[in-house]
Amino acid sequence: MSTSTLTSKGQVTIPATVRRRLALNPGDQVIFVELEGGGYKLAPLNLPITALKGAVSKPAKAVSLEAMEAAVQAHAAERSKRR
C-alpha cells in the first residue's frame, strides 16, 4: 500500500509506484470516481470508459425510463421552488 500526505493547498503527490502502475506521466489528468460506501477510485482520464466498470454497483431493482423522467421532473420542480 502506498501513502501520501495532503498539503495545506489540498494537493497530494501520487506515489511513483502508483504512477507507474497507472501509466501516468507529467501532464496527465486523473478522475476521482465516488464509490458506494464513501470511498473513491482514482483513474487516469485517458482510459476508456470501460475501465470504470464495477465502480458503481447495479441497482437492486430496475427503474423504468418513465420513473427516471418523473424523478428528474420532480427534482427540477423542487429546485425551481428554492430559487
Side-chain angles (χ1 to χ4, degrees):
M1 179 188 307
S2 299
T3 63
S4 188
T5 303
L6 184 69
T7 69
S8 62
K9 292 183 179 183
Q11 300 171 332
V12 294
T13 298
I14 301 171
T17 55
V18 176
R19 291 193 312 265
R20 282 192 296 273
R21 177 133 169 112
L22 295 176
L24 290 173
N25 296 301
D28 285 350
Q29 293 185 320
V30 296
I31 57 173
F32 297 87
V33 181
E34 188 172 5
L35 303 174
E36 199 169 294
Y40 282 84
K41 175 179 180 175
L42 169 80
L45 195 55
N46 59 353
L47 285 181
I49 192 70
T50 54
L52 296 175
K53 183 178 180 180
V56 178
S57 61
K58 291 184 180 181
K61 179 181 172 188
V63 180
S64 70
L65 291 175
E66 292 79 16
M68 283 189 259
E69 182 63 30
V72 169
Q73 289 180 3
H75 179 72
E78 182 63 34
R79 194 168 177 195
S80 67
K81 287 180 188 178
R82 290 187 227 150
R83 290 183 178 184

